Amino acid sequence: MTIQKLGFIGLGLIGGSIVKTAKRIHADLKIIALSAHASTITMAYEEGLIENSENASIEDFCDCDCVFLCAPVQQNLLYIKQLKDIIKDSCILTDVGSVKGDIHKAVCKLGMDGHFIGGHPMAGSEKTGLGNATAYLLENAYYILTPTSAIHPSYVEEFQEFIGSLGAIPMILNYDAHDAATAAISHLPHILAASLVNFVEASDDSQETMKTIAAGGFRDITRIASSSPVMWEEICMTNKDQILCMFDAYQKILNDIQGKIAALDSDGIRRFFQSSKDYRDSLEISPKGSIRTVFEFYCDLIDEAGGIAAIATILASNNLSIKNIGIIHNREFEEGVLRIEMYDQMSYARAIELLRKYHYTVYER
């Protein structure tokens, strides 16, 4: 691999996770970073993630083999202009934003399209900042690449190989196809989650009955409403046309099921929910031969004090780290179960084996 030095502008959740992953897998990589917060640079330096103990300047990126733009969208566009006369001829310029159209147009207008490969790791969290970044966030996650038509194929191949080496699954798309897809599977769902939260708040009574009884289903579907408002403001501003197009299509589906309910069309209502169940279930289990992207399973809880601690102790004593854990109450399981997510396939399989050894009932997904 000829990529030996990386530069990062922004070290939030995504940028920080890429840095942590890169240092875990390629320990000899040289990495420098610039951040809006000096404390972030200090933290990254003290953790051994970057070379610079103080904030890097734009000029410091002159010898980087690849520069990752991980700041908010509008800030990235400003940094591109500053980098134009700084980066070397062979430098690959990339970003991690969830909208690709504006940045592609910007690099073309600046004559930098021979350097640019748009990037969007399909991983994240409602949490933000370097402190929440992990060295495993990219594990088996799709990482969309949107190279310009002007960049040399060898650069695309090299960068694709590098992203694959981080444990992610690179996928190449043109930027229009990317923006349409993310409008449907990411941007619209975030807007709907936020809208549902705002709707319940506005509809609640003075005793906050709805807020009090809001259970797992509501919390699960609205979890992403806790994401950064600033980030989602920028996404809506930069992917307006695609989002509005998806709104129109989605409104037709809402109108259709509204009509079926009003007409007491039991067959139509059932088909509506059956179709969504079938498609949603197909997302839960990876098709044969593909790579599992979420390593989660469910485990019956023993009705006793310390039940969760007992499970966590079993896994921890066998050097297995839990990525996420939570209690689920829904009709699918009838009783409460523990949802456990692991970092990788090996940990997932080992955790299930251990818990079954201790006579826990485990449901694989």
Side-chain angles (χ1 to χ4, degrees):
M1 187 178 69
T2 58
I3 294 178
Q4 298 179 352
K5 184 174 182 179
L6 303 178
F8 282 79
I9 297 179
L11 276 182
L13 177 73
I14 299 299
S17 293
I18 296 173
V19 169
K20 289 183 178 183
T21 303
K23 291 297 285 187
R24 175 175 63 86
I25 295 172
H26 305 292
D28 294 334
L29 269 177
K30 303 297 182 184
I31 301 177
I32 63 170
L34 182 159
S35 172
H37 303 287
S39 59
T40 300
I41 295 298
T42 300
M43 181 190 302
Y45 179 74
E46 290 177 350
E47 291 183 21
L49 300 174
I50 59 176
E51 306 295 313
N52 52 301
S53 59
E54 299 181 350
N55 230 337
S57 66
I58 285 294
E59 290 73 20
D60 292 330
F61 294 93
C62 64
D63 60 345
C64 289
D65 299 306
C66 181
V67 176
F68 284 80
L69 297 160
C70 306
V73 177
Q74 296 301 324
Q75 292 181 31
N76 282 340
L77 298 180
L78 296 176
Y79 281 121
I80 290 171
K81 294 179 183 179
Q82 297 177 47
L83 289 166
K84 177 176 171 59
D85 297 321
I86 297 296
I87 57 175
K88 62 184 182 180
D89 291 342
S90 60
C91 180
I92 295 171
L93 186 64
T94 189
D95 76 320
V96 297
S98 67
V99 180
K100 299 269 81 79
D102 279 9
I103 198 163
H104 267 265
K105 293 170 186 174
V107 295
C108 289
K109 186 176 181 179
L110 288 168
M112 299 177 68
D113 42 336
H115 292 276
F116 190 70
I117 302 174
H120 181 200
M122 302 297 291
S125 165
E126 71 277 12
K127 298 178 181 179
T128 60
L130 180 64
N132 291 304
T134 80
Y136 294 91
L137 189 69
L138 303 179
E139 192 78 28
N140 290 327
Y142 282 104
Y143 197 121
I144 310 301
L145 303 178
T146 60
T148 66
S149 58
I151 194 164
H152 197 280
S154 64
Y155 288 3
V156 178
E157 182 179 352
E158 180 179 18
F159 189 63
Q160 185 176 6
E161 179 183 345
F162 174 70
I163 293 301
S165 75
L166 301 182
I169 307 168
M171 175 187 290
I172 294 179
L173 294 175
N174 68 58
Y175 69 83
D176 281 332
H178 168 274
D179 286 357
T182 54
I185 66 169
S186 177
H187 305 165
L188 183 61
H190 274 80
I191 295 168
L192 294 177
S195 299
L196 182 56
V197 171
N198 289 338
F199 169 75
V200 168
E201 181 184 22
S203 304
D204 211 350
D205 57 31
S206 58
Q207 288 76 41
E208 295 191 328
T209 302
M210 294 181 184
K211 182 178 183 180
T212 301
I213 66 174
F218 179 80
R219 293 177 184 276
D220 286 346
I221 200 172
T222 60
R223 175 185 56 82
I224 53 178
S226 295
S227 299
S228 166
V230 174
M231 178 180 72
W232 283 101
E233 175 191 355
E234 291 201 343
I235 287 172
C236 289
M237 297 292 286
T238 54
N239 204 25
K240 179 192 73 172
D241 292 342
Q242 296 287 8
I243 291 173
L244 292 178
C245 180
M246 295 303 165
F247 259 125
D248 290 340
Y250 186 72
Q251 188 64 55
K252 291 178 182 178
I253 294 177
L254 284 180
N255 290 340
D256 181 62
I257 186 58
Q258 182 182 26
K260 287 180 170 59
I261 294 171
L264 295 177
D265 178 1
S266 61
D267 288 341
I269 294 169
R270 185 169 55 253
R271 285 195 301 271
F272 173 82
F273 285 105
Q274 186 65 54
S275 173
S276 68
K277 180 184 186 307
D278 291 344
Y279 188 74
R280 179 62 177 83
D281 287 349
S282 75
L283 304 180
E284 290 284 351
I285 302 174
S286 300
K288 185 176 181 181
S290 71
I291 300 177
R292 178 185 289 272
T293 57
V294 178
F295 306 98
E296 68 178 18
F297 60 89
Y298 299 86
C299 178
D300 275 346
L301 276 174
I302 297 176
D303 187 15
E304 63 181 15
I308 297 176
I311 291 173
T313 299
I314 290 171
L315 299 182
S317 62
N318 285 274
N319 297 316
L320 294 174
S321 297
I322 298 172
K323 182 177 183 180
N324 203 353
I325 189 169
I327 299 174
I328 301 292
H329 291 279
N330 62 30
R331 293 182 183 273
E332 183 177 0
F333 296 108
E334 295 184 0
E335 301 295 337
V337 298
L338 201 62
R339 174 190 172 275
I340 301 173
E341 183 180 354
M342 309 301 289
Y343 280 101
D344 52 50
Q345 178 65 43
M346 186 178 299
S347 299
Y348 169 85
R350 178 63 176 148
I352 291 174
E353 177 188 5
L354 278 168
L355 293 176
R356 284 177 174 164
K357 175 184 174 183
Y358 286 93
H359 308 296
Y360 286 93
T361 299
V362 175
Y363 308 90
E364 297 185 58
R365 301 294 281 181

